Amino acid sequence: MKKCLFPLIVLFNINTLAVECPSPKEVIDGSWKTIYQCNNGSLFSSYEIYMKTGARTGQKTYDELGRETSSDSWSTDGIYTYHSTHNYLENGNFVKSVYVIEDDKITNKIKEKAEYTGDPQDPTLVKDWVITQSSYRQQGIRHYHELEYKPYRIDVLNKQGEVTKYYEVTYNMKAPLANLVSEFKAYTPNGNLVGSYREDGEFSVAKQLKKFNLSKNEYERRLNVFNDKTREPVVIIDTGFDIMHPSLTHKLYNSPYDIVGDGVDNDGNGRVDDSWGWQRQDDAGLSLLRDDNNIRETHSLVHTPYPVSHGTHVAALALKDLDNYGLVGFAGDVAISDHLQMAGEYITDKNVKFVNMSFAIGFPGAPMSAPRDSFHFLEKIFVDNPETLFVVAAGNGRGSLDLDLKGNDNYPASYDYENMIKVGALNTSKLEKDKMDSYKPASFSKYGKTKVQIFAPGQGVVSAQSGGGTIPLNGTSMAAPFVTNIVLKAHQLNPSLSPLELKELLLKTAYIPKSGKLPCESGGIVNPDAFYKAVLKARDL
């Protein structure tokens, strides 16, 4: 035990005593010379020179305790490449921040930030900030236990850098390198539990509803909604769904062709208890080989700093304020060919009228795109279901956003079938009548006068988040279910109109901004009030 404690005592002394000026004050190492600068015998800075050219390539400053406070680097030809600072905390930890260099100058943009403990020469990571490398916005903070490389807690930050929610996560250790979260709890900044999530385990609609602390009347109302087998199915093909979320539990489809939980394939489609859909994953290497009726999300922290359920967000948007429809979710990897094939067969067999597709699988032969046979079965879904209306996200990107240009195809949005509504995203989270002329396509949204047909809110759109509560998300993936929701409400107003007739009216009533048409077929923005008015007028004829 004494041997283990001794180095800690030494480090403590080093960090609390001023560091004497090094001797010698100049050290040569190959082509570089380091020069130490001191004041009253104490080190306060050092710099490095490339001796072949005499160019300064590095510089560091130190505090009165000899601890590094800043570090700068230049290339051998004098280009400024690096600036970082060390801020020391009262608890002995320090925060290292790395800044963006632009035009040979330091900016106030931080591109890397982390807190450490222990010896500054060999520190232990305590937490790090998740920062976007496009806008340098701080999205989250990851907290680590000592000597563990996966965070146990993840904070969500708003634009002001304030914590709005945090998650405590449990990982799927069957795939330790994949950063798959199998379970988590969500809390307010004050530590109050918002909700929890488990990827698997027993599930019952009636039992889950009792967990929501509903009044007796509201509990019975929601249970009656679920038990209503006359509701129309709405298919959503997406990543997965938090069926335990208050906005979705009672909206799961209770199929008249199936008996929930009886362990029998009642409708003879080869699947047991698939009333509200199924999940397909096909990556055995990541322990993601799935083919079952559990449509709950498999959360990954590879592309997002905290657990985000794309499908939960989309489904809650599509079915918002609607109790006459039931969610059928095809969850998992949307690029698996037999997954698409079975989804298409289900849509045909069950005569599904409305489908939301907030996904893209690239285009045939492109890197990172789906296998070629997946495109065949994706296209077959549209061909085999000509009376079904498919609401499709136009897609997101940072460049080459015009889908009309050769080589910019992005499927399914690039297909040209009559039974599709392809939706681009606006730079707003909602529609306000007095601001309709100010809305523009979001900077990330794909567009095209022949490939995209209408625009809808898609920036900062608030909807359901896994584990409870809500979250704002950006994307044409949000714009599509916004339109799906409007179409479903219109269908309730006038069930006599076919899905394709609803599409025609939706495009005809699009709002054209005073500044001119937007880059899409209709030239405008989805206009719910005008659309509903046209739908009711058609009913009264």
Side-chain angles (χ1 to χ4, degrees):
M1 290 297 293
K2 290 183 180 179
K3 290 182 179 179
C4 294
L5 289 173
F6 180 74
L8 298 178
I9 295 172
V10 172
L11 288 176
F12 179 80
N13 289 335
I14 289 175
N15 287 335
T16 55
L17 296 176
V19 173
E20 295 182 358
C21 190
S23 180
K25 292 183 179 180
E26 295 186 7
V27 177
I28 296 175
D29 184 6
S31 299
W32 277 268
K33 177 168 66 174
T34 301
I35 299 174
Y36 297 99
Q37 297 180 311
C38 304
N39 185 22
N40 295 325
S42 297
L43 177 68
F44 72 88
S45 73
S46 65
Y47 59 92
E48 181 183 74
I49 293 176
Y50 184 56
M51 293 190 296
K52 290 183 179 180
T53 62
R56 180 175 296 197
T57 56
Q59 180 171 316
K60 293 183 179 182
T61 61
Y62 306 87
D63 65 10
E64 66 278 5
L65 300 180
R67 301 175 303 188
E68 181 183 318
T69 56
S70 69
S71 178
D72 298 88
S73 297
W74 294 261
S75 64
T76 55
D77 52 0
I79 298 174
Y80 200 4
T81 59
Y82 180 86
H83 174 71
S84 69
T85 61
H86 285 196
N87 179 32
Y88 294 89
L89 308 178
E90 291 183 0
N91 63 2
N93 293 355
F94 68 92
V95 176
K96 179 180 179 180
S97 301
V98 180
Y99 291 80
V100 176
I101 305 293
E102 291 179 350
D103 299 326
D104 226 27
K105 296 179 181 178
I106 304 169
T107 70
N108 61 357
K109 303 172 186 174
I110 296 175
K111 64 178 181 179
E112 297 175 23
K113 186 176 180 180
E115 180 178 331
Y116 298 91
T117 189
D119 181 1
Q121 301 303 315
D122 186 22
T124 298
L125 180 64
V126 174
K127 55 187 176 183
D128 60 11
W129 279 252
V130 180
I131 302 172
T132 63
Q133 295 305 297
S134 54
S135 64
Y136 300 106
R137 180 193 161 196
Q138 296 178 10
Q139 292 182 303
I141 304 175
R142 297 178 292 211
H143 300 251
Y144 300 84
H145 288 305
E146 188 174 356
L147 303 180
E148 291 188 1
Y149 64 94
K150 292 179 183 289
Y152 70 91
R153 168 177 162 167
I154 306 164
D155 300 342
V156 180
L157 303 180
N158 61 17
K159 291 183 178 180
Q160 291 72 43
E162 301 165 333
V163 177
T164 60
K165 181 190 295 187
Y166 69 87
Y167 298 91
E168 291 182 348
V169 298
T170 301
Y171 295 92
N172 177 359
M173 296 314 295
K174 294 180 180 179
L177 300 179
N179 275 348
L180 299 178
V181 174
S182 59
E183 185 176 349
F184 63 81
K185 292 181 179 179
Y187 297 88
T188 67
N190 295 327
N192 297 320
L193 183 67
V194 174
S196 60
Y197 182 87
R198 286 192 62 187
E199 183 183 330
D200 52 21
E202 293 185 1
F203 173 79
S204 159
V205 170
K207 291 180 180 179
Q208 186 63 30
L209 288 175
K210 288 184 177 180
K211 297 180 181 180
F212 297 152
N213 196 28
L214 305 171
S215 68
K216 181 180 178 181
N217 288 342
E218 180 61 13
Y219 170 81
E220 291 177 351
R221 188 193 72 79
R222 294 194 190 191
L223 189 58
N224 288 336
V225 168
F226 172 72
N227 287 330
D228 181 3
K229 287 181 174 281
T230 66
R231 292 178 299 151
E232 284 193 51
V234 175
V235 164
I236 298 180
I237 304 175
D238 218 294
T239 57
F241 311 87
D242 181 1
I243 59 178
M244 300 175 291
H245 196 285
S247 67
L248 292 183
T249 299
H250 66 293
K251 295 185 179 182
L252 296 171
Y253 186 49
N254 194 345
S255 173
Y257 312 103
D258 199 12
I259 300 175
V260 175
D262 69 345
V264 177
D265 177 17
N266 304 106
D267 57 4
N269 67 349
R271 292 185 169 273
V272 174
D273 291 333
D274 62 330
S275 182
W276 49 74
W278 60 77
Q279 176 152 194
R280 277 286 282 118
Q281 299 276 7
D282 196 16
D283 195 336
L286 294 179
S287 296
L288 286 178
L289 194 59
R290 293 278 300 276
D291 189 355
D292 54 45
N293 62 4
N294 178 12
I295 67 172
R296 281 174 269 188
E297 181 92 20
T298 296
H299 292 86
S300 171
L301 299 184
V302 173
H303 300 295
T304 57
Y306 39 79
V308 174
S309 175
H310 185 278
T312 299
H313 198 275
V314 166
L317 273 175
L319 298 174
K320 184 179 180 181
D321 301 323
L322 292 168
D323 287 336
N324 293 335
Y325 300 94
L327 167 64
V328 179
F330 296 127
D333 187 348
V334 298
I336 299 175
S337 60
D338 64 13
H339 190 33
L340 293 169
Q341 179 183 11
M342 290 183 289
E345 291 172 353
Y346 181 96
I347 293 166
T348 302
D349 293 343
K350 303 301 189 289
N351 192 30
V352 176
K353 295 178 181 177
F354 303 99
V355 177
N356 191 93
M357 291 182 165
S358 289
F359 66 84
I361 64 171
F363 61 92
M368 305 302 290
S369 291
R372 289 185 181 275
D373 57 348
S374 296
F375 292 90
H376 166 74
F377 286 109
L378 176 59
E379 190 168 6
K380 199 170 187 296
I381 293 178
F382 301 109
V383 173
D384 291 350
N385 299 282
E387 301 302 317
T388 301
L389 184 60
F390 296 85
V391 185
V392 178
N396 312 316
R398 293 182 181 175
S400 300
L401 298 175
D402 190 348
L403 291 177
D404 288 344
L405 296 180
K406 186 177 180 180
N408 279 0
D409 286 334
N410 185 49
Y411 293 97
S414 290
Y415 289 127
D416 292 315
Y417 292 104
E418 285 297 315
N419 56 344
M420 301 173 69
I421 298 177
K422 295 169 285 185
V423 187
L426 294 171
N427 62 342
T428 182
S429 62
K430 57 185 178 180
L431 296 177
E432 298 181 64
K433 288 184 179 180
D434 59 342
K435 297 181 180 179
M436 294 291 278
D437 291 308
S438 67
Y439 299 137
K440 298 178 181 179
S443 61
F444 53 79
S445 177
K446 292 187 182 279
Y447 56 85
K449 292 181 180 179
T450 65
K451 296 295 185 182
V452 177
Q453 292 164 309
I454 202 163
F455 280 86
Q459 187 164 311
V461 180
V462 176
S463 186
Q465 162 69 328
S466 285
T470 59
I471 188 173
L473 293 179
N474 302 330
T476 58
S477 286
M478 286 66 249
F482 189 96
V483 170
T484 297
N485 181 263
I486 291 170
V487 171
L488 293 175
K489 289 175 179 175
H491 179 57
Q492 284 189 162
L493 292 173
N494 188 354
S496 66
L497 290 176
S498 71
L500 270 64
E501 288 173 329
L502 289 172
K503 171 192 172 180
E504 182 180 359
L505 289 177
L506 183 84
L507 299 184
K508 281 184 177 180
T509 57
Y511 182 85
I512 309 298
K514 292 178 181 179
S515 58
K517 290 186 175 182
L518 300 183
C520 64
E521 181 183 326
S522 70
I525 300 166
V526 62
N527 191 358
D529 289 344
F531 176 45
Y532 297 149
K533 185 176 179 180
V535 168
L536 289 172
K537 183 177 180 181
R539 183 189 66 183
D540 297 335
L541 292 177

